[in-house]
Amino acid sequence: MPSVLRHISASDMEKRCSSAGALVVDFPDGGPQSGVFCSLMSHVLSPENHSPYSWKLKLSSQEPSCLYRDCIQFEVPKYPGSVTFVDRYEYFEVHVFTSNIWEKELWGHVRKAVFGGIETVDETLGYSDNKPRPAIVCPRTHTDRPHPAYIRDKVWICTSDCDKFGYLSTKYLWIQTPCEPSQTSSASVTTGDATTAEQRTHDESSVESSTAATSIPSASDAPLPAPPTPETKPLGIKDLFSVCSELVGVAHKWKKVGLALRLHPDLLDRIEAKKNDVEDNLSDTLKEWLKKSYDTESFGDPSWKLLVDAVAHRAGGKDRALAMEIAAKYDVPPPQ
């Protein structure tokens, strides 16, 4: 299992993976749950893989194999090249390296294997709220760390700041969802020397022109939703660092803050039973809140506004000065 392997180095990761055109598997409800990546890696090697072709680990005697806890490379025997999975912990990345002739077709099989595999893994592990969506690496520059951007019509929308979006400028072949047979006949591709240069040129140009037409999703009739205001913008597990940074000065009040955020007392008792320091308890508490481990139907999804009100509430420690500071910083109304 991948969990017993060592982590890939940053230099090896950069050498083996390129974000351009990669498929990002985004988990908008709080990141992938425990064991999903490891189980998915095992699944794609199994006969139950949602692909008509068997997958194998890409092993080479010429260079070190890409077999790490957070980066694993496969080959699909019908196709030249490789398929590389990367666990970024908040999301997954999938990179396909193959010839232009096969790229579109292979991406169709990869997408089906990935999302079909996660669905099977979720059922096996008993997860019901771990629904992923296809995304891209956010094109924004000068951000703290890489993160996903989801796609709506021909627009990418940053998951870290929904006010930031733009038009797609890169071709993403995986957006072609149906796993269709290649339009080039197998004879014209596999006969080796018998294939003429003219046929190869025609095949490649056909694939490239087809890619241009299908690499971005078709526009739906529905217009883009209005970006949420800072008050209503939902927070997710990817915001844990920012949220923790604002409350680190009141970490000793972590349990009061947790109660004000409507987490169940039993959950807070379990966190306390770990006997960690107050900073870790605060982090665990906020993590549960961002994962929506409370009654969201009654109190709403995690947001800066909810956090501001909780910090200012008597049950949360009544730190109105800190609440006002957070409200001003994130442009939300002052505490009630």
Side-chain angles (χ1 to χ4, degrees):
M1 292 292 288
S3 58
V4 303
L5 302 172
R6 63 187 177 91
H7 292 279
I8 190 171
S9 66
S11 58
D12 279 348
M13 179 77 80
E14 184 177 353
K15 180 176 67 174
R16 294 180 182 275
C17 299
S18 170
S19 295
L23 165 63
V24 168
V25 183
D26 179 35
F27 297 82
D29 292 331
Q33 298 194 57
S34 177
V36 172
F37 185 78
C38 292
S39 300
L40 178 61
M41 298 303 94
S42 299
H43 176 79
V44 297
L45 290 171
S46 72
E48 286 75 30
N49 183 354
H50 293 71
S51 173
Y53 306 107
S54 61
W55 291 39
K56 298 179 180 179
L57 291 173
K58 189 172 180 62
L59 305 175
S60 172
S61 58
Q62 307 298 323
E63 59 181 17
S65 300
C66 182
L67 191 59
Y68 301 93
R69 180 173 183 172
D70 47 356
C71 185
I72 298 183
Q73 199 166 65
F74 297 89
E75 60 180 336
V76 183
K78 178 185 174 182
Y79 303 94
S82 62
V83 179
T84 304
F85 287 79
V86 180
D87 184 4
R88 300 286 189 184
Y89 300 102
E90 293 180 355
Y91 61 92
F92 304 154
E93 280 179 18
V94 186
H95 301 261
V96 166
F97 301 94
T98 189
S99 65
N100 290 341
I101 293 177
W102 294 110
E103 201 169 16
K104 178 182 170 185
E105 182 177 334
L106 179 54
W107 262 123
H109 291 303
V110 168
R111 175 168 171 160
K112 184 175 181 181
V114 169
F115 288 97
I118 292 176
E119 183 177 0
T120 299
V121 166
D122 283 349
E123 292 175 358
T124 303
L125 298 179
Y127 296 149
S128 59
D129 56 351
N130 191 40
K131 305 304 179 187
R133 64 183 175 188
I136 65 173
V137 176
C138 185
R140 290 175 60 204
T141 57
H142 308 300
T143 56
D144 292 339
R145 65 192 187 284
H147 56 274
Y150 68 94
I151 294 174
R152 176 70 183 273
D153 296 335
K154 299 179 180 180
V155 174
W156 59 263
I157 303 172
C158 176
T159 57
S160 180
D161 184 350
C162 293
D163 291 335
K164 306 297 183 183
F165 53 88
Y167 288 97
L168 291 174
S169 58
T170 302
K171 295 177 180 178
Y172 295 94
L173 301 184
W174 53 260
I175 292 178
Q176 172 69 11
T177 54
C179 192
E180 300 172 349
S182 173
Q183 293 181 358
T184 49
S185 68
S186 58
S188 66
V189 176
T190 59
T191 51
D193 295 337
T195 305
T196 65
E198 180 180 351
Q199 287 173 311
R200 290 184 185 275
T201 303
H202 172 73
D203 290 341
E204 291 180 7
S205 63
S206 298
V207 172
E208 290 173 359
S209 62
S210 175
T211 296
T214 60
S215 60
I216 25 185
S218 58
S220 65
D221 295 333
L224 279 170
T229 64
E231 179 178 0
T232 61
K233 175 188 172 183
L235 298 175
I237 195 67
K238 60 179 69 67
D239 300 298
L240 179 61
F241 177 81
S242 298
V243 175
C244 280
S245 297
E246 299 301 333
L247 300 189
V248 68
V250 293
H252 60 289
K253 299 181 182 179
W254 68 269
K255 199 166 188 179
K256 289 184 177 181
V257 172
L259 286 171
L261 290 173
R262 310 295 180 168
L263 296 179
H264 198 281
D266 289 348
L267 175 57
L268 297 175
D269 287 344
R270 289 196 295 273
I271 293 174
E272 189 172 34
K274 297 178 182 178
K275 300 186 182 302
N276 292 326
D277 57 34
V278 292
E279 286 83 4
D280 286 340
N281 288 344
L282 174 67
S283 177
D284 289 345
T285 298
L286 294 175
K287 187 183 299 183
E288 293 295 337
W289 178 61
L290 293 170
K291 289 166 61 177
K292 304 181 183 179
S293 301
Y294 67 100
D295 185 1
T296 55
E297 290 188 7
S298 300
F299 303 108
D301 290 337
S303 66
W304 286 114
K305 176 57 177 170
L306 286 185
L307 186 68
V308 164
D309 290 341
V311 171
H313 197 279
R314 181 171 56 185
K318 203 174 182 180
D319 196 327
R320 190 171 182 84
L322 176 59
M324 294 290 289
E325 182 181 328
I326 297 173
K329 182 174 181 178
Y330 293 95
D331 194 23
V332 299
Q336 298 174 346

